[in-house]
Amino acid sequence: MGDTVYLNGAFLPLAQATIPVLDRGFMFGDGVYEVIPVYNGQAFRLDEHIQRLQASLAAVRIRNPLTTVAWRAMLLQLIAENKALQDQSLYLQVTRGVAPRDQAFPPASVAPTVFAMSMTLQTPSTALVQSGVAAITALDIRWDRCNIKAISLLANVLLRQQAVDEAVAETIMLREGWLTEGSSTNVFVVAQDKLLAPPKSQHMLTGVTYDVILELAASHGIAHLVAPVSEAQLRSADEIWITSSTKEILAIISLDGQSVGQGQPGPLFQRMYALYQDFKNQYMRHTR
Ligand code: PMP
């Protein structure tokens, strides 16, 4: 955990960063957030994360408190302040601010609360990448606006704990018989040598990593199809992958106790994992 955080315009030690209990983030989970990986001091896909933040803010009608230039400058300073950490995971959140407890929006004069911190980026170990991980399925009990990266994550918390309770890595969700995503990841499936991805919708978060994977598939001639994935397709898949900014890409080798494919990370996973690492290194490791 980096010691220097950002709160409402100032950089300060974490221990001194406090907010009033009437903050609407605390009262209602009324806010949005982002998680941005930083490799070797370089923020990965920073513009895309800032764009998604803007989309989340607009969707919940919170005024964007900073310009794109100011977001970039603040985050780059946060990275510099925490440069003792090798690779970083930036967390930032914006809430609707502090106001007497009433669900209705506060007056426009109430300023959003802006908080950002840096943690050590923990990407999966080589052993985990090579072995793959297990997952369970569950009904998607979330709301109809999952494309918004909202801080109100109670359903995700419960779903993620289900995975922890069953000693697996992720809970993969199904809504009315269709794959949506994991509790904190997007999900890809391989069937008949083709990569399948559920289309962007209000039932899943558009992952920045999801977009990278589809771009890499397109630029390297990997057959892929963006189309709804049924529960039957998920259960009979040759490969299942989960993706996120901090997990990168991981292979699911067992789903609800049943082996996926050969029960080990498949050939397309190996290929995409290598492409992803190359892509990342090309952009991230060129400066020192
Ligand atoms: N879906 C959900 C529900 C998530 O929480 C995340 C992680 N933020 C993702 C997908 C993956 O998004 P990204 O690739 O931008 O990290």
Side-chain angles (χ1 to χ4, degrees):
M1 175 78 219
D3 189 52
T4 302
V5 304
Y6 172 93
L7 182 63
N8 296 329
F11 288 91
L12 69 177
L14 176 66
Q16 287 170 28
T18 58
I19 56 159
V21 291
L22 288 182
D23 192 282
R24 292 178 62 97
F26 183 57
M27 284 290 146
F28 302 121
D30 184 359
V32 300
Y33 75 109
E34 275 298 322
V35 177
I36 307 167
V38 178
Y39 299 102
N40 195 34
Q42 310 282 325
F44 188 54
R45 295 249 148 166
L46 181 56
D47 292 341
E48 287 79 356
H49 281 281
I50 293 173
Q51 272 164 26
R52 187 172 64 184
L53 175 69
Q54 279 166 345
S56 294
L57 287 166
V60 300
R61 296 164 62 195
I62 294 179
R63 174 166 55 86
N64 191 338
L66 298 178
T67 62
T68 301
V69 171
W71 276 117
R72 280 190 74 92
M74 182 274 275
L75 293 168
L76 295 182
Q77 187 172 342
L78 186 67
I79 293 168
E81 298 277 353
N82 292 286
K83 63 177 183 296
L85 305 178
Q86 163 68 2
D87 288 342
Q88 305 178 32
S89 167
L90 302 184
Y91 174 88
L92 68 92
Q93 87 170 43
V94 181
T95 77
R96 208 180 301 275
V98 182
R101 191 180 181 285
D102 177 354
Q103 290 178 3
F105 291 179
S109 57
V110 171
T113 301
V114 183
F115 173 67
M117 64 181 172
S118 173
M119 295 169 287
T120 300
L121 177 64
Q122 297 279 10
T123 52
S125 65
T126 310
L128 222 51
V129 171
Q130 285 171 356
S131 66
V133 296
I136 52 171
T137 59
L139 285 184
D140 195 337
I141 54 171
R142 301 171 305 159
W143 66 335
D144 262 331
R145 309 290 302 279
C146 297
N147 52 324
I148 302 170
K149 202 159 169 59
I151 60 169
S152 26
L153 286 169
L154 190 50
N156 300 63
V157 165
L158 295 174
L159 289 156
R160 168 89 184 95
Q161 188 58 35
Q162 242 175 287
V164 172
D165 290 345
E166 301 206 23
V168 298
E170 181 58 303
T171 302
I172 292 177
M173 294 178 274
L174 293 157
R175 186 186 284 256
E176 293 171 358
W178 299 96
L179 167 66
T180 55
E181 60 181 338
S183 69
S184 63
T185 55
N186 288 116
V187 179
F188 290 81
V189 158
V190 176
Q192 281 139 11
D193 298 324
K194 190 182 270 186
L195 181 61
L196 307 178
K200 296 175 182 177
S201 78
Q202 76 275 26
H203 291 145
M204 65 171 238
L205 185 76
T206 304
V208 171
T209 321
Y210 167 99
D211 280 341
V212 174
I213 300 289
L214 289 177
E215 283 172 33
L216 289 172
S219 59
H220 291 83
I222 294 173
H224 61 285
L225 179 68
V226 176
V229 175
S230 70
E231 178 169 358
Q233 283 175 302
L234 177 71
R235 293 199 186 282
S236 63
D238 298 323
E239 301 186 26
I240 301 174
W241 313 340
I242 53 174
T243 69
S244 81
S245 293
T246 54
K247 291 198 175 66
E248 301 184 334
I249 321 175
L250 272 178
I252 302 294
I253 53 160
S254 136
L255 187 67
D256 293 332
Q258 305 289 317
S259 281
V260 176
Q262 306 299 312
Q264 58 191 40
L268 205 53
F269 168 81
Q270 312 278 8
R271 179 152 181 228
M272 184 56 81
Y273 183 81
L275 290 173
Y276 190 86
Q277 295 305 322
D278 280 355
F279 180 79
K280 197 179 93 180
N281 292 338
Q282 193 180 324
Y283 288 94
M284 297 303 135
R285 306 277 181 201
H286 63 292
T287 49
R288 245 282 170 210

